[in-house]
Amino acid sequence: MTAHPRFIPLVYGNKVLNEGSDGVGQSVDPSTGAVIAEFARAGAAEVEAAVAAACQAFDNGPWRRLRPFERGRAMQRIAALLLERRDEIARLESTDSGKPLRDAYWEVDCSARFFEFYGGAADKMHGNSIPLGPDWSDWTVKEPIGVSLHIIPWNYPLQLIARGVAPALAAGCSVIIKPSAETPVTAYEFMKICQEAGLPDGLVNLVNGRGSLVGDLLARHKGVDQITFTGSVETGERVLVAAASHAVPCNMELGGKSAQILFADADMDKVLPIIAGGFLTHCGQVCNAGTRLFVQRSAYDEVVSRLHSHISAMTLGAGVDDPDMGPLISTRHMQDVERYFDVARQDGDLLMGAEKPNAPALAGGAFVRPALVVGAGNDTRIAREEIFGPVLTVIPFDSAEDAVRMANDSPFGLVAGVHTSNIAAALSVGEKLRVGQVWVNSFGVGLDVEFPFGGYKLSGYGREKGLEALAAYQQIKNFCVHHPMPS
Ligand code: NAD
């Protein structure tokens, strides 16, 4: 059998292995169905070896012995190399995940920003000095937690590696990356960059394979000291059980069904494109997608009609051609999303979405049209379940209290948007929302690595991004010294 021209090995310690004990996996371009890469799938033996390599690098490797600013410099080199290879990596990401090229460029830029930001933080992780009175000194130091496991979903394969790995490395940890089997391509490019940046062997390790096998083995492994999981609630709950088997802490970044609250006094020309982007970006396959829109009743008809015109004009195509919307990640996921079109029809009325895109250029790809759902209550399945597709449920409200009550009436609590020209109303609504981020007249600022991100309720716990993320990768050690004056 001839290996695929793009073959992704396992990389751990000083080893690059073209074979894993669970055979070979394939990654496809979701806009055509063509195989674009093959990858070695790890089994139990490779999991053992990779964890041993990460433990060895943590316990005896040079990374922790570097001065913090030297760790920071190595991380800045990773950022620079990502930007140097921006075009090539963005194209690979776009082909592997289906996202439009501009979003793939954003993903590379954002990944570089994580390494710049946390590289800059590496020498600023101060402890505290705690006053105990005369003859006592007490202070804390922050130490790395150990081997940190990163289980990654398919929607932002590179960016979510960078989001977790950068603070872990800054803290002094070693890491193991388990990418999604749907999108293994850019993780390997990242490994090459780590090597080029001079990171020591075993500090960053790449283990591809089936989540239910290697993800589970890694999460249960006693050599792993901490887990950062990003993915669905269902898998996250399994990972928590695995983590509980050896009592290690987890950062859980799970799903969402985020609310956008739109008051009639908002500047509609400005905010409607923001709201549309909030559920259409990457074909709606974004954890914080704003997929429930609560509109003040007096503006409801106008808003539905304008959003309908907006989505009717959307172009679909292969990500690398930079259309308005690329495909979903796979035909299997497309069928899941299409099943929700039936749910939408039972729960309310479906505007668009159901007509199959039939242009010859889209044949073979996992394409769906964006959809608006009207006439469905906030208690319906379509309004409560995460679809991970471009489907927006639009629901009218009569009072701000109504809007807050419905927005909070969800199993999830990741982010929310509030759109109004009355800033006092926005702040008072925002205060009452049970979510990890509130956006006012906005829904993302671009390369937002500086402030914390994470959820309430089933959206998970722990915080990524910002200086807050560092805490997950650190232990705090307290020193207490009694030093009475010699008599
Ligand atoms: P998923 O839960 O199917 O898979 C996530 C990862 O877990 C993959 O690497 C998979 O191989 C692995 N995995 C599967 N079974 C496992 C097991 N038993 N033990 C350990 N690992 C296992 O998620 P997905 O379909 O790849 O991604 C979509 C989901 O991710 C959505 O729910 C989305 O909301 C969520 N997500 C959340 C965030 C966030 O920051 N909150 C960001 C992106 C995606």
Side-chain angles (χ1 to χ4, degrees):
M1 195 180 82
T2 321
H4 193 276
R6 184 168 294 284
F7 188 84
I8 296 163
L10 302 167
V11 187
Y12 49 78
N14 59 3
K15 292 194 166 50
V16 177
L17 277 95
N18 285 335
E19 267 178 62
S21 52
D22 192 36
V24 169
Q26 294 186 323
S27 183
V28 301
D29 172 350
S31 64
T32 61
V35 175
I36 56 159
E38 289 186 338
F39 57 96
R41 287 198 314 208
E46 295 80 22
V47 164
E48 278 306 321
V51 176
C55 291
Q56 165 72 13
F58 182 72
D59 291 333
N60 305 314
W63 189 246
R64 265 200 298 161
R65 287 195 288 277
L66 289 179
R67 291 187 62 187
F69 79 85
E70 293 172 312
R71 287 207 294 271
R73 274 190 189 154
M75 293 176 63
Q76 302 287 352
R77 284 199 292 278
I78 295 177
L81 287 164
L82 282 165
L83 293 176
E84 227 170 72
R85 294 186 51 202
R86 180 174 187 265
D87 275 327
E88 181 201 346
I89 296 176
R91 283 182 180 277
L92 287 173
E93 192 71 296
S94 173
T95 312
D96 201 22
S97 70
K99 62 172 58 82
L101 196 54
R102 61 183 179 285
D103 293 342
Y105 278 119
W106 171 86
E107 185 162 358
V108 182
D109 293 344
C110 193
S111 303
R113 279 291 297 129
F114 280 119
F115 280 91
E116 289 167 353
F117 181 79
Y118 292 109
D123 59 357
K124 297 169 193 72
M125 298 182 204
H126 305 162
N128 283 323
S129 151
I130 298 159
L132 293 182
D135 301 340
W136 289 92
S137 290
D138 192 285
W139 69 95
T140 59
V141 290
K142 291 178 178 167
E143 297 187 343
I145 197 162
V147 174
S148 170
L149 169 63
H150 296 255
I151 302 179
I152 308 293
W154 45 257
N155 60 343
Y156 287 94
L158 179 70
Q159 194 247 140
L160 296 179
I161 288 175
R163 184 171 91 179
V165 168
L169 290 181
C173 296
S174 63
V175 303
I176 301 170
I177 300 168
K178 209 304 276 168
S180 165
E182 305 270 11
T183 50
V185 172
T186 51
Y188 182 42
E189 300 309 308
F190 174 72
M191 293 302 292
K192 294 189 220 164
I193 283 178
C194 288
Q195 198 184 27
E196 208 180 327
L199 263 53
D201 288 340
L203 186 69
V204 181
N205 304 277
L206 175 66
V207 183
N208 277 302
R210 287 183 290 141
S212 54
L213 177 68
V214 289
D216 187 58
L217 286 171
L218 285 164
R220 285 178 190 284
H221 202 292
K222 293 192 166 38
V224 167
D225 299 298
Q226 182 274 343
I227 302 173
T228 289
F229 173 83
T230 308
S232 61
V233 175
E234 200 188 354
T235 312
E237 287 175 350
R238 284 197 199 111
V239 169
L240 283 171
V241 171
S245 73
H246 55 127
V248 291
C250 297
N251 237 21
M252 301 307 283
E253 295 292 350
L254 307 176
K257 189 81 182 178
S258 294
Q260 305 252 23
I261 298 175
L262 175 58
F263 286 88
D265 67 354
D267 181 339
M268 295 294 174
D269 291 342
K270 284 206 179 117
V271 303
L272 286 180
I274 293 172
I275 288 168
F279 84 100
L280 296 171
T281 299
H282 196 6
C283 214
Q285 303 168 114
V286 182
C287 52
N288 55 346
T291 48
R292 291 183 300 152
L293 175 62
F294 299 103
V295 187
Q296 196 163 18
R297 197 174 295 277
S298 58
Y300 181 82
D301 290 342
E302 181 204 346
V303 166
V304 170
S305 148
R306 287 179 67 170
L307 284 174
H308 191 215
S309 309
H310 183 92
I311 63 170
S312 304
M314 306 277 299
T315 58
L316 304 186
V320 284
D321 296 330
D322 209 23
D324 291 331
M325 258 178 38
L328 294 164
I329 188 64
S330 63
T331 44
R332 200 179 59 187
H333 185 50
M334 178 179 77
Q335 285 155 7
D336 290 343
V337 172
E338 285 171 345
R339 273 193 282 278
Y340 273 105
F341 293 153
D342 296 332
V343 174
R345 284 199 208 89
Q346 282 154 23
D347 289 344
D349 292 316
L350 182 67
L351 305 182
M352 297 242 333
E355 311 98 69
K356 249 243 41 84
N358 55 8
L362 305 182
F367 292 97
V368 291
R369 289 193 190 287
L372 292 184
V373 183
V374 295
N378 190 47
D379 56 351
T380 58
R381 275 187 68 198
I382 202 74
R384 294 186 81 74
E385 294 178 13
E386 184 184 47
I387 300 169
F388 234 51
V391 183
L392 179 72
T393 303
V394 195
I395 300 173
F397 70 84
D398 293 305
S399 67
E401 287 73 25
D402 237 12
V404 169
R405 184 184 46 74
M406 287 195 285
N408 282 338
D409 182 9
S410 164
F412 298 103
L414 196 47
V415 310
V418 185
H419 307 280
T420 169
S421 49
N422 178 346
I423 197 72
L427 293 180
S428 121
V429 165
E431 256 176 31
K432 297 174 185 70
L433 293 172
R434 299 199 57 221
V435 295
Q437 282 187 345
V438 176
W439 294 91
V440 176
N441 297 326
S442 57
F443 206 70
V445 290
L447 301 174
D448 46 339
V449 306
E450 299 88 349
F451 46 87
F453 173 75
Y456 286 33
K457 302 189 263 181
L458 278 188
S459 294
Y461 54 79
R463 291 294 177 266
E464 305 239 46
K465 303 187 174 183
L467 294 176
E468 284 80 357
L470 289 164
Y473 305 103
Q474 295 168 326
Q475 294 277 23
I476 294 186
K477 182 178 282 176
N478 191 79
F479 276 90
C480 189
V481 183
H482 189 208
H483 44 76
M485 183 82 91
S487 46

